[in-house]
Amino acid sequence: MTMVGRERESAAVLDLTSGVLVLTGEPGAGKSTLLGLAADRHRGRVLRMTGSESEANLTFAGLHQLLRPVLGETTRLPGRQRSALLGAIGLGDGGFEGSDFGDPGFGDTGFEGAGREDGRHGGPPDRLLLGVALLTLLSDLARQSPVLVVADDLQWIDAGSLELLAFAARRIGDEPLAVLAGTRDAREGIRGGAPAPFSGFPLLTLAPLDATAAGLLLDRQPYPPTGSRRLRILDQAAGNPLALIELARANGACGADSADSADAELLPPTDRLMRVFAADLEALPEPTRRALLLVAADDRAVAGRIEALAPAEAAGLLRITGGGRDGSRARFRHPLIRSAVYHSVPLAARRQAHRDLAALLSAEPDRRAWHLAAAAEGPDEEIAVTLEASAARARERGGYTAATTALERAAELSPERRDRARRLVAAAGAAVSTGQPHWVRRLAARAAALTDDPALSAEASLRVGQVLTLSTEHDTAMSLLLRAAEDPRLRRAAVASASVAGFYAGDEEYRLAVRARAQDDPWTLSVTDPTAHRSERVAAIPALVERADGDPARLISLGAMAWLLDETALAVRIFDDALHRWRLGGTLPIGLGCSAGWAYLDHGLWAQARTAAVNTSSAGAGLPHLDAAARSLEAAALALAGRTDEARTAGSAALSLVDPHRSRAVAVRARWALGMAAVADGDHVGAYEQFRLLFTADGDPVHYACSYAGLAELAAAAVRTGNGAEAAAIVERTADRLAEDPSPRMRILIHRARALLEPSGAEPHFTAALAEPEGSQWPFERAQILLDHAEWLRRRHRVTEARHQLNTALETFRRLGARSWIDRTQAELRAAGVESAPATPDALTSLSPQQQHIIRLAAQGLSNREIGERLFLSPRTVGSHLYRSFPKLGVTARSQLRDLLEASGQP
């Protein structure tokens, strides 16, 4: 059976065999019908997850629906994955360590541990581990037969389940696995302001039916309207299929005699349309209406009421689904019907229904708590305590959205103003982990209006400041965090968070304000001024790592500290250790962090850098600063790989997401990436323009830490554009600023810049730069110096020396996959009389970043399943990547990979 006016949409859902498609449209547009059509026609296994308003605040309720039919299949999962899945839905040991999947944790630069008061190891289950487990299970099922996951009413699916499904959906490879979802609006958040994890997927919007299709749909109804009544229905339904059907049904119920009455007012597809749905209740027996009210309040309240609901099911208002161990559920034909049923009775009757349901749910404290809250007629401390306990359980399971909502409702029910304020502040604290600044702000503002308690006010400021750190409102974040730092209990967390906000902003006034409050904290001192007393700070890192006692959050922060101090190799080791511990402990931050990504990039691990950029994205959380940070890192990796068009797109996108004068760290990095793209294209004028913007008109750094990375590139572009004098002044100004204790990297960059700007006295600078013992930490920059030196040597007819330098540089560029620099080095070799091999990068660099990472892990002896768990891919997808990569690498077995990597000089 085809859907009237939905032929194109029907074809789209029926053609979906792999990947993701999200149907959007207003209520009644036909989304659920299309999902049902796809499920009915699917030649394989169909798994369902349907949103329910009554369970929107119950963590992993949707996951429970999805897994129930395939619980027996989980036995093939690795132990940790199976335990995580079963524990999440209450069927196993829930004692997991970790942090919430949605915890922002300063993830965009790697300062994930900053500003946390406790540094605990324990916590809720890791959403990434759960995501890997779900992906692995779905992939295993798809290996047996095609799998279609149907997720309806995304707007009412609990946030935890939705995040996990979106996680798995984003990693579907070429297996016969498809996710088909329906939602009122893909951009619409979940209740309370949580993000929409399904944003970014392919959308198919169900537009209103045109006049022809709407008329045809009316003609197919049992009592097709005619005359002026028909025109009114067509006009007022505005192409909404459900409204057309329901209004035509109402027209038939009125009878032909009254259908054309001029006084008969039709109800539009808004609130008045709900009255039409409620009118259907009058024909039902009283026991059916009572049962309908209960299942409208809780669609799992079906047990013992199936017979009473039979007339409603026969009337098409709902249908009963499920059964077995988990019981049946009532699925209304459309959410508006459920809402109409619920609101068709007085408030007192609705409250009584919730009280009746709560009395039956003593064994399910979370559902009981919500029904008690809905039944409350006014402030009730006992119910507030119950909700507070429910929030604690939700946090333990990683349900920060549910926890925030429960605490917010508990505050509303609190008789005492102080308790209301306390619970609102606690709700704001939970909401920080959702990464939703507007939600945190609203909660904090409500708390501030209720109390003059300086401790609560300070904590409210801290929570708002912390979440705004991830936004573009760095000024506001700094103000709030410095205010919170006046409370001795919160000082450490507030100052640490303020140092991160100050780093992002790059504002000198704020940097000095935070530094003045840093006392003797080496981490905060390093973040606020990584060039002062650098050697002393570096010497402190080993002891700080020891004191971190394996806490991955603290290790991530120390990795960021090492990166800021230009101890790149140490930073990479710390990041690797932290991320490994994070996975073993069952937790992983929302992203690897851009500081980790930049450290990987500087160290020549470009594939890992791009992975960090992908994992840093806020995925629809409404945090443009976070997205801009990710795009700037992605742009840099693309530029170095010679994919300059893509690099410019990503870099420009990063700059468009922030105000470059207020988010200097991101802006400077984005301009560096755009400058490198120009260098790769041979556009020296464009390169100079970008690198010049890293410094002020007076030659000072725009960002006190990030600008210096472009110093040598500024000089290189300057000598090709006639701006040598201006660049030389900036180089010498920088050298003077860093004279006290420059890092090895800065010594190298200054030597390179001076060599390029002063050709007559260049050799001592080239020699010093290449003799720096720490120079191997930055392989790309070292290869650039070799190339520059070789060009200088060739022009002075020292061809033999130049050839050696060029061959060494070419080997590095090939290993890294720096295509533009490979071409340039090849040209220099030809000018030096050497006919080298074709200008192609190392075979490994021809692979995608993800494939490169898989090859490296396979070379270490990891199985497909172990690789998948580390990279959050299904074993099937890992195997597919290996199958496609082996011919490109010229190998036939995994045992050859280790030798291949060693021969290519890969780290």
Side-chain angles (χ1 to χ4, degrees), residues 368-389 406 409-410 413-414 423:
R368 179 176 180 272
W370 280 106
H371 284 299
L372 288 173
E377 299 182 15
D380 190 312
E381 179 63 17
E382 183 178 350
I383 298 176
V385 169
T386 302
L387 274 178
E388 198 168 15
R409 179 59 176 148
L413 292 173
S414 301
R423 286 166 176 150

Side-chain angles (χ1 to χ4, degrees), residues 389-415:
S390 179
R393 288 189 293 271
R395 291 192 68 162
E396 289 172 2
R397 299 175 62 188
Y400 284 100
T401 299
T404 305
T405 306
L407 286 166
E408 187 174 11
R409 179 59 176 148
E412 293 169 354
L413 292 173
S414 301

Side-chain angles (χ1 to χ4, degrees), residues 605 608 811 815 842-845 847 851-861 889 891 894-907:
L605 301 173
Q608 287 91 319
E811 180 182 350
R815 173 170 60 83
D842 182 83
L844 190 65
T845 63
L847 306 179
Q851 288 172 333
Q852 292 181 46
H853 207 167
I854 289 171
I855 290 296
R856 289 191 180 93
L857 294 175
Q860 296 173 21
L889 299 175
V891 300
R894 298 169 86 103
S895 58
Q896 298 172 272
L897 294 177
R898 183 183 295 275
D899 292 339
L900 174 74
L901 291 179
E902 291 177 355
S904 68
Q906 287 284 8

Side-chain angles (χ1 to χ4, degrees), residues 181-465:
T183 184
R184 295 180 183 180
D185 187 341
R187 297 163 299 179
E188 179 180 330
I190 302 171
R191 297 175 68 191
F198 266 73
S199 60
F201 284 112
L203 298 180
L204 179 59
T205 301
L206 305 187
L209 300 180
D210 60 29
T212 301
L216 181 58
L217 181 58
L218 284 180
D219 289 339
R220 291 190 177 185
Q221 301 312 304
Y223 302 100
T226 60
S228 63
R229 190 73 166 188
R230 179 185 180 92
L231 295 177
R232 287 190 179 185
I233 290 176
L234 288 171
D235 179 58
Q236 296 183 28
N240 182 286
L242 183 62
L244 287 163
I245 293 170
E246 294 300 332
L247 290 172
R249 179 177 299 173
N251 172 75
C254 291
D257 294 337
S258 62
D260 247 350
S261 169
D263 296 329
E265 181 182 4
L266 295 182
L267 303 176
T270 56
D271 293 341
R272 289 187 291 178
L273 181 60
M274 294 173 60
R275 301 179 193 172
V276 176
F277 298 144
D280 295 336
L281 301 179
E282 298 300 324
L284 297 175
E286 179 61 26
T288 300
R289 294 201 297 272
R290 288 198 301 269
L292 272 176
L293 176 60
L294 291 173
V295 296
D298 188 334
D299 59 10
R300 292 174 59 184
V302 174
R305 300 181 178 89
I306 293 178
E307 288 76 15
L309 291 168
E313 192 168 18
L317 292 177
L318 53 70
R319 59 189 178 90
I320 308 300
T321 63
R325 175 173 59 183
D326 299 312
S328 301
R329 304 173 70 97
R331 184 178 182 185
F332 286 85
R333 190 174 71 246
H334 189 276
L336 290 179
I337 297 176
R338 176 178 181 173
S339 182
V341 169
Y342 183 76
H343 291 286
S344 66
V345 300
L347 175 60
R350 299 199 297 271
R351 285 175 173 166
Q352 185 58 52
H354 285 295
R355 281 192 290 269
D356 293 342
L357 290 169
L360 300 173
L361 292 171
S362 58
E364 298 186 56
D366 293 327
R367 290 175 66 197
R368 179 176 180 272
W370 280 106
H371 284 299
L372 288 173
E377 299 182 15
D380 190 312
E381 179 63 17
E382 183 178 350
I383 298 176
V385 169
T386 302
L387 274 178
E388 198 168 15
S390 179
R393 288 189 293 271
R395 291 192 68 162
E396 289 172 2
R397 299 175 62 188
Y400 284 100
T401 299
T404 305
T405 306
L407 286 166
E408 187 174 11
R409 179 59 176 148
E412 293 169 354
L413 292 173
S414 301
E416 301 296 331
R417 287 173 61 91
R418 175 172 174 77
D419 288 330
R420 289 202 297 277
R422 174 180 60 81
R423 286 166 176 150
L424 285 170
V425 170
V432 168
S433 297
T434 70
Q436 297 298 306
H438 297 302
W439 200 6
V440 178
R441 266 181 159 161
R442 178 169 59 81
L443 291 166
R446 289 173 59 191
L450 288 169
T451 181
D452 295 327
D453 187 331
L456 286 176
S457 298
E459 186 176 352
S461 295
L462 172 66
R463 299 312 181 191
V464 176

Side-chain angles (χ1 to χ4, degrees), residues 16-21 42 146-150 172 175-180:
L16 183 68
T17 58
S18 182
V20 184
L21 181 63
H42 185 68
V147 173
L148 174 66
V149 176
V150 176
I172 293 176
E175 57 261 74
L177 170 61
V179 175
L180 182 61

Side-chain angles (χ1 to χ4, degrees), residues 331-606:
R331 184 178 182 185
F332 286 85
R333 190 174 71 246
H334 189 276
L336 290 179
I337 297 176
R338 176 178 181 173
S339 182
V341 169
Y342 183 76
H343 291 286
S344 66
V345 300
L347 175 60
R350 299 199 297 271
R351 285 175 173 166
Q352 185 58 52
H354 285 295
R355 281 192 290 269
D356 293 342
L357 290 169
L360 300 173
L361 292 171
S362 58
E364 298 186 56
D366 293 327
R367 290 175 66 197
R368 179 176 180 272
W370 280 106
H371 284 299
L372 288 173
E377 299 182 15
D380 190 312
E381 179 63 17
E382 183 178 350
I383 298 176
V385 169
T386 302
L387 274 178
E388 198 168 15
S390 179
R393 288 189 293 271
R395 291 192 68 162
E396 289 172 2
R397 299 175 62 188
Y400 284 100
T401 299
T404 305
T405 306
L407 286 166
E408 187 174 11
R409 179 59 176 148
E412 293 169 354
L413 292 173
S414 301
E416 301 296 331
R417 287 173 61 91
R418 175 172 174 77
D419 288 330
R420 289 202 297 277
R422 174 180 60 81
R423 286 166 176 150
L424 285 170
V425 170
V432 168
S433 297
T434 70
Q436 297 298 306
H438 297 302
W439 200 6
V440 178
R441 266 181 159 161
R442 178 169 59 81
L443 291 166
R446 289 173 59 191
L450 288 169
T451 181
D452 295 327
D453 187 331
L456 286 176
S457 298
E459 186 176 352
S461 295
L462 172 66
R463 299 312 181 191
V464 176
Q466 285 177 327
V467 76
L468 291 184
T469 296
L470 296 177
S471 74
T472 55
E473 299 183 55
H474 306 310
D475 294 344
T476 303
M478 288 291 299
S479 177
L480 291 169
L481 291 168
L482 293 180
R483 184 190 309 166
E486 297 173 4
D487 187 322
R489 299 176 305 109
L490 305 176
R491 190 199 64 79
R492 177 182 174 277
V495 171
S497 295
S499 68
V500 178
F503 178 88
Y504 296 157
D507 182 270
E508 185 69 7
E509 179 182 349
Y510 283 139
R511 183 178 73 87
L512 295 176
V514 176
R515 185 175 176 81
R517 293 166 171 80
Q519 297 180 354
D520 59 351
D521 177 27
W523 189 89
T524 302
L525 291 170
S526 297
V527 173
T528 53
D529 191 350
T531 62
H533 306 287
R534 195 197 74 87
S535 298
E536 179 183 339
R537 309 283 179 244
V538 171
I541 292 178
L544 294 173
V545 171
E546 183 71 22
R547 287 206 297 272
D549 193 27
D551 180 355
R554 295 183 182 180
L555 289 174
I556 285 287
S557 293
L558 293 174
M561 176 180 173
W563 166 66
L564 284 169
L565 295 171
D566 278 337
E567 292 294 313
T568 305
L570 176 60
V572 166
R573 290 197 299 272
I574 295 174
F575 281 132
D576 283 346
D577 181 34
L579 295 170
H580 177 66
R581 290 176 182 274
W582 228 312
R583 294 186 182 101
L584 290 180
T587 56
L588 200 69
I590 191 171
L592 298 178
C594 275
S595 61
W598 284 105
Y600 289 139
L601 190 83
D602 293 342
H603 204 47
L605 301 173
W606 294 354

